[in-house]
Amino acid sequence: MKRLTGVIALIVLSGILLVLNSCKMDGAKELESIEIREYEGENLSSITDFRETSLAGPQYVDIESYRLEISGLVEKPVEYIYDEVIEGNQHYKKVVELECVEGWSARVLWEGILVKDLVEKAGLLPDTKVVIFHAYDGYTTSLPLDYIIDKNILVAYKINDVILPPENGFPFQLVAEDKWGYKWIKWLTKIELSDDINYEGYWESRGFSNSGDKDSVGK
Ligand SMILES: Nc1nc2c(c(=O)[nH]1)N[C@H]1C(S)=C(S)[C@@H](COP(=O)(O)O)O[C@H]1N2
Ligand SMILES: [Mo]
């Protein structure tokens, strides 16, 4: 009889603990996922305004096995886990508009790190002219190294104060300021330094301008 009471007490206690624990987790989740819609007096688009039209649909990246590789024309190729990218670099915020050639756009607050901080740590070699970006879905695009450095181009991990949702490129999307949306690679896995100024990425090799400047569409 004593033993039975003990077992019942244990079951009730674990039940209470379980409920308490799940309350705590739910609360934290909700706080994390509220997006801001205004920044320094300026109205922002919503995360839901982005149209997901990627070549293979949204990618669901397993963050435990995820690595960001910096390779090509560098002194020492490196591979970072997610936390190393986030914790090992200065963070920056900026409001930038993404505009797709299909005729829609969204202006939001991005938070991320500088591509140049990542590549400089790997040791740039003098012949490097182009930065080629690779993604989890096989997508690729490229941009001139000078543009990446001079414009302080970001790799974003947050959008409107929320960690990038999978549809928006979790863990990282390139914020290719002033360039067409097809330069804003999502689900970034590799940054390759190159001297190949004729390199063409996925849409670029299918007729879209290699500069990606908004006053150019076809070649
Ligand atoms: N990996 C990957 N990144 C990608 C694409 C893609 O198909 N695959 N599409 C590009 C295009 S054409 C646009 S307009 C933007 C759209 O970004 P969004 O889904 O965040 O709106 O993602 C770009 N990045
Ligand atoms: Mo696009």
Side-chain angles (χ1 to χ4, degrees):
M1 193 60 204
K2 240 187 177 171
R3 201 165 151 201
L4 188 67
T5 323
V7 170
I8 292 171
L10 206 68
I11 292 171
V12 171
L13 197 71
S14 5
I16 292 171
L17 281 177
L18 205 74
V19 170
L20 280 177
N21 210 18
S22 62
C23 286
K24 221 167 59 193
M25 278 181 0
D26 274 3
K29 249 189 208 161
E30 214 182 313
L31 276 176
E32 286 275 21
S33 60
I34 295 172
E35 68 163 327
I36 57 156
R37 294 296 307 281
E38 200 213 280
Y39 182 67
E40 293 181 345
E42 189 183 350
N43 289 330
L44 301 170
S45 307
S46 166
I47 298 174
T48 55
D49 292 334
F50 289 88
R51 310 215 188 136
E52 214 299 302
T53 56
S54 305
L55 63 118
Q59 303 293 302
Y60 298 91
V61 173
D62 167 37
I63 208 61
E64 295 302 320
S65 55
Y66 174 81
R67 299 289 180 273
L68 178 62
E69 185 184 325
I70 322 286
S71 59
L73 289 179
V74 290
E75 279 164 19
K76 45 169 185 14
V78 273
E79 269 191 13
Y80 294 114
I81 62 167
Y82 180 73
D83 286 350
E84 286 174 321
V85 179
I86 305 287
E87 286 159 21
N89 295 284
Q90 174 70 51
H91 298 178
Y92 295 88
K93 284 186 180 189
K94 192 166 190 187
V95 175
V96 188
E97 182 177 70
L98 179 155
E99 195 179 345
C100 172
V101 289
E102 291 181 328
W104 59 272
S105 64
R107 189 174 172 80
V108 292
L109 175 68
W110 303 94
E111 184 173 326
I113 54 177
L114 297 177
V115 177
K116 75 175 167 202
D117 282 352
L118 288 171
V119 299
E120 277 168 5
K121 275 185 191 160
L124 276 174
L125 293 176
D127 287 341
T128 310
K129 303 255 177 329
V130 173
V131 186
I132 304 172
F133 299 89
H134 301 254
Y136 204 72
D137 57 352
Y139 193 82
T140 55
T141 192
S142 66
L143 287 158
L145 180 68
D146 287 348
Y147 159 86
I148 296 288
I149 292 177
D150 299 347
K151 285 261 181 189
N152 288 321
I153 295 306
L154 293 175
V155 158
Y157 55 85
K158 270 191 180 178
I159 176 173
N160 285 357
D161 260 359
V162 171
I163 294 288
L164 289 188
E167 297 75 16
N168 293 76
F170 176 80
F172 299 114
Q173 178 173 29
L174 188 71
V175 181
E177 197 171 347
D178 300 331
K179 304 286 186 184
W180 284 120
Y182 62 84
K183 294 284 183 183
W184 295 54
I185 192 168
K186 302 192 280 186
W187 311 294
L188 179 65
T189 54
K190 182 160 88 177
I191 301 175
E192 182 190 347
L193 290 304
S194 169
D195 57 1
D196 181 5
I197 53 167
N198 295 316
Y199 179 87
E200 290 181 340
Y202 183 85
W203 283 120
E204 294 88 336
S205 65
R206 287 162 176 80
F208 286 90
S209 108
N210 208 13
S211 78
D213 288 335
K214 291 193 200 162
D215 53 9
S216 65
V217 178
K219 291 194 188 189

mmCIF file of all heavy atoms in Angstrom, residues 53 98-102 104 180-182 203, ligand 2:
data_model
loop_
_atom_site.group_PDB
_atom_site.id
_atom_site.type_symbol
_atom_site.label_atom_id
_atom_site.label_comp_id
_atom_site.label_asym_id
_atom_site.label_seq_id
_atom_site.Cartn_x
_atom_site.Cartn_y
_atom_site.Cartn_z
ATOM 1 N N THR A 53 10.037 31.147 -54.514
ATOM 2 C CA THR A 53 9.962 30.593 -55.877
ATOM 3 C C THR A 53 11.258 29.879 -56.228
ATOM 4 O O THR A 53 11.662 29.852 -57.384
ATOM 5 C CB THR A 53 9.729 31.725 -56.897
ATOM 6 O OG1 THR A 53 10.778 32.695 -56.724
ATOM 7 C CG2 THR A 53 8.389 32.404 -56.706
ATOM 8 N N LEU A 98 14.736 43.772 -51.166
ATOM 9 C CA LEU A 98 14.969 42.704 -52.154
ATOM 10 C C LEU A 98 13.940 42.897 -53.260
ATOM 11 O O LEU A 98 12.751 43.025 -52.985
ATOM 12 C CB LEU A 98 14.812 41.330 -51.514
ATOM 13 C CG LEU A 98 15.008 40.091 -52.412
ATOM 14 C CD1 LEU A 98 15.430 38.897 -51.562
ATOM 15 C CD2 LEU A 98 13.791 39.720 -53.231
ATOM 16 N N GLU A 99 14.404 42.934 -54.515
ATOM 17 C CA GLU A 99 13.505 43.108 -55.653
ATOM 18 C C GLU A 99 13.736 41.973 -56.648
ATOM 19 O O GLU A 99 14.859 41.776 -57.120
ATOM 20 C CB GLU A 99 13.803 44.470 -56.303
ATOM 21 C CG GLU A 99 12.741 44.932 -57.246
ATOM 22 C CD GLU A 99 13.065 46.303 -57.853
ATOM 23 O OE1 GLU A 99 13.964 47.010 -57.332
ATOM 24 O OE2 GLU A 99 12.436 46.637 -58.862
ATOM 25 N N CYS A 100 12.664 41.243 -56.947
ATOM 26 C CA CYS A 100 12.776 40.114 -57.877
ATOM 27 C C CYS A 100 12.444 40.583 -59.288
ATOM 28 O O CYS A 100 11.593 41.463 -59.468
ATOM 29 C CB CYS A 100 11.815 39.006 -57.456
ATOM 30 S SG CYS A 100 11.689 37.663 -58.645
ATOM 31 N N VAL A 101 13.069 39.964 -60.295
ATOM 32 C CA VAL A 101 12.789 40.335 -61.701
ATOM 33 C C VAL A 101 11.327 40.070 -62.066
ATOM 34 O O VAL A 101 10.816 40.628 -63.036
ATOM 35 C CB VAL A 101 13.704 39.564 -62.700
ATOM 36 C CG1 VAL A 101 15.137 40.047 -62.614
ATOM 37 C CG2 VAL A 101 13.624 38.064 -62.480
ATOM 38 N N GLU A 102 10.641 39.234 -61.272
ATOM 39 C CA GLU A 102 9.234 38.925 -61.567
ATOM 40 C C GLU A 102 8.281 40.043 -61.150
ATOM 41 O O GLU A 102 7.084 39.945 -61.386
ATOM 42 C CB GLU A 102 8.833 37.605 -60.891
ATOM 43 C CG GLU A 102 9.525 36.419 -61.539
ATOM 44 C CD GLU A 102 9.138 35.082 -60.928
ATOM 45 O OE1 GLU A 102 8.863 35.035 -59.717
ATOM 46 O OE2 GLU A 102 9.123 34.099 -61.670
ATOM 47 N N TRP A 104 8.046 41.855 -57.860
ATOM 48 C CA TRP A 104 7.638 42.109 -56.476
ATOM 49 C C TRP A 104 8.877 42.467 -55.667
ATOM 50 O O TRP A 104 10.009 42.193 -56.094
ATOM 51 C CB TRP A 104 6.936 40.882 -55.868
ATOM 52 C CG TRP A 104 7.780 39.644 -55.856
ATOM 53 C CD1 TRP A 104 7.874 38.728 -56.860
ATOM 54 C CD2 TRP A 104 8.679 39.216 -54.831
ATOM 55 N NE1 TRP A 104 8.776 37.752 -56.512
ATOM 56 C CE2 TRP A 104 9.282 38.019 -55.271
ATOM 57 C CE3 TRP A 104 9.040 39.724 -53.582
ATOM 58 C CZ2 TRP A 104 10.221 37.318 -54.512
ATOM 59 C CZ3 TRP A 104 9.971 39.027 -52.821
ATOM 60 C CH2 TRP A 104 10.550 37.834 -53.289
ATOM 61 N N TRP A 180 19.486 42.390 -58.274
ATOM 62 C CA TRP A 180 18.253 41.618 -58.430
ATOM 63 C C TRP A 180 18.203 40.463 -57.439
ATOM 64 O O TRP A 180 19.253 39.923 -57.066
ATOM 65 C CB TRP A 180 18.149 41.041 -59.842
ATOM 66 C CG TRP A 180 17.771 42.002 -60.920
ATOM 67 C CD1 TRP A 180 18.514 42.305 -62.023
ATOM 68 C CD2 TRP A 180 16.552 42.753 -61.046
ATOM 69 N NE1 TRP A 180 17.853 43.206 -62.820
ATOM 70 C CE2 TRP A 180 16.638 43.496 -62.242
ATOM 71 C CE3 TRP A 180 15.397 42.874 -60.266
ATOM 72 C CZ2 TRP A 180 15.623 44.345 -62.678
ATOM 73 C CZ3 TRP A 180 14.379 43.724 -60.698
ATOM 74 C CH2 TRP A 180 14.492 44.445 -61.891
ATOM 75 N N GLY A 181 16.972 40.048 -57.097
ATOM 76 C CA GLY A 181 16.750 38.982 -56.118
ATOM 77 C C GLY A 181 17.524 37.697 -56.387
ATOM 78 O O GLY A 181 17.873 36.974 -55.452
ATOM 79 N N TYR A 182 17.802 37.389 -57.666
ATOM 80 C CA TYR A 182 18.476 36.109 -57.940
ATOM 81 C C TYR A 182 19.918 36.080 -57.447
ATOM 82 O O TYR A 182 20.545 35.018 -57.438
ATOM 83 C CB TYR A 182 18.362 35.708 -59.424
ATOM 84 C CG TYR A 182 18.982 36.643 -60.439
ATOM 85 C CD1 TYR A 182 20.335 36.580 -60.745
ATOM 86 C CD2 TYR A 182 18.200 37.573 -61.117
ATOM 87 C CE1 TYR A 182 20.892 37.423 -61.704
ATOM 88 C CE2 TYR A 182 18.740 38.420 -62.073
ATOM 89 C CZ TYR A 182 20.085 38.344 -62.357
ATOM 90 O OH TYR A 182 20.629 39.186 -63.292
ATOM 91 N N TRP A 203 20.903 31.297 -62.607
ATOM 92 C CA TRP A 203 20.076 32.121 -63.512
ATOM 93 C C TRP A 203 20.926 32.877 -64.520
ATOM 94 O O TRP A 203 20.496 33.143 -65.647
ATOM 95 C CB TRP A 203 19.197 33.099 -62.704
ATOM 96 C CG TRP A 203 18.011 32.416 -62.097
ATOM 97 C CD1 TRP A 203 17.702 32.319 -60.777
ATOM 98 C CD2 TRP A 203 16.977 31.697 -62.793
ATOM 99 N NE1 TRP A 203 16.553 31.584 -60.592
ATOM 100 C CE2 TRP A 203 16.088 31.189 -61.812
ATOM 101 C CE3 TRP A 203 16.718 31.415 -64.142
ATOM 102 C CZ2 TRP A 203 14.952 30.432 -62.145
ATOM 103 C CZ3 TRP A 203 15.596 30.657 -64.465
ATOM 104 C CH2 TRP A 203 14.730 30.190 -63.473
HETATM 105 MO MO MO B 2 13.681 36.075 -58.344
#
